Structure formats: structure tokens, C-alpha cells
């Protein structure tokens, strides 16, 4: 096994290997031919919005990954979409932006990361060498103590020439000391040298393979824990690790939405809204509910004039973080239609939430498609309307990456009036 692979397994990678890993993460984006092509342009806009926040906050790794994904999407992958011909003119404008702005910015980030990784690697090697020297000194001291103990235990009546022979036996030879240089001690990979440098603004380490993420949990039953007591996801390498960023939900979100939906609920008609917000310190904050023009039935709700939603988000620099809707007479769950609706949100934003309010039962569900099964299954399903899906493995689960913030208040933009 090469040195770089050994170092990677212990959390330290040579600079070029680390950049290679970032580049791989930046290429992790695919185009679903059944998704409206306009959704990818919205996703690209929000990708750039988040990349600029990461760059401003000094999280250069995540900014670099998002810029690479943007370029991968619009230079390469979008051409695979069957509706690509209808948006060629927009692609030309985007490619000009990539050439004039995004590509130079990405190259500057690459240079910064290369220099930072090189400093970290040199620090690691220096720490490793210092520890090797210290261990060699400790071994020499132990050897000296063994020699002293051996000499003091020999009776004084033994002839002097035997003392000389004993000294020769106990004295370490040069080959023995050379062997010490080749010993790999547990502290050859100290954690101190494996941390990012002060002021970097991001943890520039690859995640350990044993780390589990909340997205790996596939339990469908509603959790009994207090969401406010859940640990914060304070990772700065979430895009590297594939873990979900924490989403903050204002505590009054559901009450405010139910009041907006009351007229429809009393008529047994569903109401829906778009959850939007912003990114800060690698965490997502829902700040607004945008209520679009819509048509509802007792078990479905369809948005109209989506361009109005996009205009509001662009004016206020808001990122789409999911959607919220009511089940006026049913419990909180995701129907087959809901699963397909949420799939389009979660494919664009892995952390996107589907909040379901069931006023008749006074319950609320915070759902996502199971990342390792449900998301792909629904993306491949070509049926429409209400239709059966298998229940095992589960297609959706309770979201574990949320935090209810009692002090924050949701804002509403109602486009129905």
C-alpha cells in the first residue's frame, strides 16, 4: 500500500491526492432526463448562491466543490437532457459566465487549497519526524538504564576482563539502532498535525470511513426524542462526506402555515407552500414560506405560475429548502404523489424537507426520501397520479437533520392574493 493511501486512511493525504478527491466530489452530479430542464437552471442559480456564501465564509473546499459541480452540470451533463435544444441560448450565456467569472475563481481556489494542503502536509511530516526522534531518544535512555542495571547486579569478585565482555554484550550495535528508524509507532500519525491551520475557516480533512451520518438511518417510525436536544451538525466537510447539513426550522412555522391554510382545510382541500431560506456557517436556515398560486383537492395540491416563486427567490437571494403541505383529513405521511413531488426537491437539494401538517390528528411529519434507496427508486418510477409503491425497504423516513428554533419566526410571502 502506498504512503498516500496509508495517510488517507488515517485522515492525512498528500496535497495532490486531496485535490483529486475534491475534483471527484465536484463531478458528482447527474441529470435526470425526466426532470424539467428548468429545474436544473434553478439548481445552478442556487448552487452559485451557496458557493459564494462558502467562499465569503472562508470554507474554500465546499465553494470549490460547488463551482466544479456547476461547471460539470452546464458544460457536460446538461447536454444529455432531451430538452437541451430548447435552452441552447441560455447555455451559451452560462458558458460565457463560466469562462469569464467562474473558471478563474475556481482556479484561484485551487491554488489556495494546494498551498494550504502543502502546509498541512509539511506540518504533518515535521511532527512525525519529531516524534520519531523523541522515541529514538526514549529507546536510548531505556537501553542506558538496562546497561546500568546489568552492571550494578554483577558481583565485585568477578574478574575485570568479564566486565569488559558484559559491556560489549550490552552495548547496542549500529544495526540495532538502524532498525529503530524503521519502526512505525502508533504516534507516527498524531492528531495534532492532522488538523486544519488556524484561520482556515474549514476543516480540510477527509472524513474517517467509520463516521456515520444521519442520512444513513432508515427508520420510518416517528422519533420519540426531543428535536431540540439533537446534536448540531457542525461539519465543514459535509459536501466531501456526503452528510446532510443541519436545517433550522422556525418554531412557529407549522402554526403560521395552518392559519394560512385554514380556509382550505375547512373545505377539505390541501394547501402547499415552498420553504426557502439561506446558508450560513454550513447550516441551512428556513426563513420564508412562499405560498404560490395553486389548485388543491382533498388529497393533492398543484402549484401554478412557478416563475413568480423564482422571481421572489432571486430578489431576496433565497435558496429552496423543501416544501410544506396539509393533509386535511389524513395522517402525516407521504403519499405516492407526495413522493414524486418531493423527489424533484431532494434531487436538487439533498437536505430538502417535506413537512406534512395533519390538523385533524394534530400531528406534523418532517420527511425525506431514504437517500440510499427511496430517492433512486422514485426517480426511476415512471407512473403518475396515485399508484402503489413497495413498502420494504422504506421509501421515506423521518428527517433527522433538523433543529426547531423556538426564537426564530417564519416570514410569509403569499402570492395567491
Amino acid at each position: 500500500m502506498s504512503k498516500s493511501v496509508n495517510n488517507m486512511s488515517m485522515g492525512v493525504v498528500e496535497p495532490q491526492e486531496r485535490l483529486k478527491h475534491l475534483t471527484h466530489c465536484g463531478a458528482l452530479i447527474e441529470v435526470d432526463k425526466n426532470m424539467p430542464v428548468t429545474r436544473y437552471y434553478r439548481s445552478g442559480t442556487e448552487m452559485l448562491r451557496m458557493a459564494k456564501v462558502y467562499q465569503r465564509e472562508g470554507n474554500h473546499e465546499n465553494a470549490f466543490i460547488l463551482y466544479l459541480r456547476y461547471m460539470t452540470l452546464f458544460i457536460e451533463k446538461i447536454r444529455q437532457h432531451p430538452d437541451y435544444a430548447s435552452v441552447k441560448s441560455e447555455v451559451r450565456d452560462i458558458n460565457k459566465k463560466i469562462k469569464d467569472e467562474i473558471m478563474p475563481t475556481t482556479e484561484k481556489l485551487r491554488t489556495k487549497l494546494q498551498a494550504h494542503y502543502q502546509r498541512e502536509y509539511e506540518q504533518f511530516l515535521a511532527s512525525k519526524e519529531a516524534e520519531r526522534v523523541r522515541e529514538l531518544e526514549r529507546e536510548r535512555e531505556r537501553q542506558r538504564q538496562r546497561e546500568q542495571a546489568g552492571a550494578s547486579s554483577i558481583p565485585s569478585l568477578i574478574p575485570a576482563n568479564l566486565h569488559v565482555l558484559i559491556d560489549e554484550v550490552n552495548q547496542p550495535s549500529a544495526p540495532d539502532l538502524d532498525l529503530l528508524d524503521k519502526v512505525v509507532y502508533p504516534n507516527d500519525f498524531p492528531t495534532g498535525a492532522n488538523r486544519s491551520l488556524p484561520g482556515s475557516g474549514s476543516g480540510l480533512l477527509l472524513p474517517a470511513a467509520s463516521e456515520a451520518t444521519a442520512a444513513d438511518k432508515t427508520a420510518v417510525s416517528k422519533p420519540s426524542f426531543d428535536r431540540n436536544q439533537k446534536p448540531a451538525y457542525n461539519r465543514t466537510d459535509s459536501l466531501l462526506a456526503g452528510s446532510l447539513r443541519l436545517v433550522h426550522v422556525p418554531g412557529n412555522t407549522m402554526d403560521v402555515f395552518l392559519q394560512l391554510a385554514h380556509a382550505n382545510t375547512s373545505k377539505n382541500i390541501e394547501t402547499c407552500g415552498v420553504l426557502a431560506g439561506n446558508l450560513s456557517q454550513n447550516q441551512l436556515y428556513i426563513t420564508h414560506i412562499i405560498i404560490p398560486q395553486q389548485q388543491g383537492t382533498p388529497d393533492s395540491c398543484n402549484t401554478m405560475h412557478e416563475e413568480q416563486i423564482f422571481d421572489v427567490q432571486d430578489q431576496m437571494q433565497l435558496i429552496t429548502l423543501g416544501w410544506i403541505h396539509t393533509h386535511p383529513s389524513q395522517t402525516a405521511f407521504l403519499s405516492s404523489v407526495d413522493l414524486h413531488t418531493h423527489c424533484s426537491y431532494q434531487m436538487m437539494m439533498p437536505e430538502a424537507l417535506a413537512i406534512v401538517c395533519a390538523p385533524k390528528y394534530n400531528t406534523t411529519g418532517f420527511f425525506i426520501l431514504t437517500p440510499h434507496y427511496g430517492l433512486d427508486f422514485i426517480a426511476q418510477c415512471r407512473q403518475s397520479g396515485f399508484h402503489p409503491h413497495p413498502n420494504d425497504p422504506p421509501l421515506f423516513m423521518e428527517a433527522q437533520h433538523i433543529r426547531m428554533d423556538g426564537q426564530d419566526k417564519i416570514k410569509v410571502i403569499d402570492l395567491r392574493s
Side-chain angles (χ1 to χ4, degrees), residues 375-387:
L375 185 60
D376 289 338
F377 182 92
I378 296 300
Q380 298 301 317
C381 179
R382 297 295 173 256
Q383 299 186 62
S384 60
F386 289 96
H387 54 277

Side-chain angles (χ1 to χ4, degrees), residues 43 85 109 124 158 214 233 241 245 273 345 363:
S43 178
L109 286 173
F124 162 73
I158 293 179
Y233 281 31
R245 293 165 291 189
Y345 284 97
T363 58

Side-chain angles (χ1 to χ4, degrees), residues 264 267-270 296-301 326-330 386:
N264 282 345
K267 301 173 187 176
N268 195 30
I269 295 176
E270 284 193 6
T297 71
D299 51 20
S300 67
C301 187
T326 56
H327 280 182
S329 58
Q330 301 183 78
F386 289 96

Side-chain angles (χ1 to χ4, degrees), residues 28-84:
L28 294 179
I29 186 168
E30 297 296 334
V31 168
D32 184 345
K33 298 178 181 179
N34 296 288
M35 188 79 65
V37 71
T38 53
R39 291 288 178 92
Y40 287 100
Y41 288 97
R42 290 307 307 168
S43 178
T45 298
E46 298 186 352
M47 224 181 281
L48 289 184
R49 206 165 281 164
M50 288 189 288
K52 290 175 182 177
V53 173
Y54 279 130
Q55 190 175 0
R56 189 164 57 246
E57 293 179 346
N59 191 335
H60 295 151
E61 277 187 326
N62 282 351
F64 183 73
I65 289 172
L66 287 179
Y67 282 129
L68 285 179
R69 284 185 185 172
Y70 184 89
M71 290 190 288
T72 301
L73 174 60
F74 290 111
I75 293 177
E76 176 187 353
K77 299 296 179 71
I78 199 66
R79 298 173 183 272
Q80 302 168 8
H81 198 285
D83 296 333
Y84 170 72

Side-chain angles (χ1 to χ4, degrees), residues 300-318:
S300 67
C301 187
N302 297 314
T303 62
M304 303 164 59
H305 305 295
E306 282 191 332
E307 67 278 0
Q308 295 178 354
I309 304 173
F310 301 153
D311 288 343
V312 168
Q313 290 182 276
D314 289 342
Q315 291 170 17
M316 305 186 69
Q317 296 290 294
L318 297 174

Side-chain angles (χ1 to χ4, degrees), residues 72-309:
T72 301
L73 174 60
F74 290 111
I75 293 177
E76 176 187 353
K77 299 296 179 71
I78 199 66
R79 298 173 183 272
Q80 302 168 8
H81 198 285
D83 296 333
Y84 170 72
S86 65
V87 292
K88 278 187 176 180
S89 59
E90 295 180 50
V91 172
R92 282 197 295 269
D93 292 339
I94 289 175
N95 286 343
K96 185 177 187 306
K97 185 174 186 177
I98 288 174
K99 179 181 177 181
D100 296 343
E101 177 187 336
I102 297 172
M103 195 172 290
T105 299
T106 305
E107 286 307 308
K108 288 179 182 178
L109 286 173
R110 186 192 300 274
T111 301
K112 286 183 179 180
L113 288 168
Q114 172 74 37
H116 185 88
Y117 290 167
Q118 187 63 38
R119 288 194 301 270
E120 280 194 333
Y121 194 61
E122 290 172 359
Q123 183 183 14
F124 162 73
L125 293 178
S127 177
K128 180 180 176 182
E129 176 63 19
E131 179 59 28
R132 189 190 72 83
V133 171
R134 286 193 295 270
E135 183 56 34
L136 184 59
E137 290 298 325
R138 287 193 290 267
E139 180 59 27
R140 285 173 174 166
E141 178 61 22
R142 288 191 291 268
Q143 183 67 27
R144 187 184 64 80
Q145 292 174 356
R146 286 195 295 269
E147 292 173 9
Q148 290 179 345
S152 62
S153 64
I154 299 174
S156 58
L157 295 178
I158 293 179
N161 63 330
L162 288 181
H163 282 285
V164 173
L165 293 175
I166 292 173
D167 286 341
E168 291 176 354
V169 171
N170 286 333
Q171 182 65 32
S173 63
D176 290 332
L177 294 179
D178 290 339
L179 285 175
L180 291 175
D181 291 343
K182 301 176 182 178
V183 175
V184 178
Y185 293 93
N187 289 331
D188 270 3
F189 301 91
T191 56
N194 194 12
R195 296 176 181 150
S196 56
L197 298 177
S200 68
S202 65
L204 296 170
L205 301 181
L206 297 182
S210 62
E211 289 184 356
T213 69
D216 294 327
K217 301 179 182 178
T218 56
V220 180
S221 58
K222 188 173 182 178
S224 59
F225 54 79
D226 179 0
R227 295 181 187 278
N228 290 309
Q229 299 304 315
K230 294 190 328 88
Y233 281 31
N234 232 354
R235 301 175 60 108
T236 56
D237 61 347
S238 64
L239 295 182
L240 276 165
S243 59
L244 297 180
R245 293 165 291 189
L246 188 69
V247 179
H248 295 256
V249 183
N252 69 334
T253 299
M254 284 65 70
D255 289 339
V256 169
F257 180 67
L258 284 173
Q259 290 175 8
L260 291 165
H262 179 72
N264 282 345
T265 301
S266 63
K267 301 173 187 176
N268 195 30
I269 295 176
E270 284 193 6
T271 306
C272 66
V274 174
L275 301 171
N278 51 59
L279 168 73
S280 178
Q281 298 299 317
N282 206 39
Q283 298 186 14
L284 299 163
Y285 293 81
I286 294 174
T287 58
H288 291 74
I289 298 177
I290 304 173
I291 310 294
Q293 296 185 48
Q294 55 193 267
Q295 291 179 333
T297 71
D299 51 20
S300 67
C301 187
N302 297 314
T303 62
M304 303 164 59
H305 305 295
E306 282 191 332
E307 67 278 0
Q308 295 178 354
I309 304 173

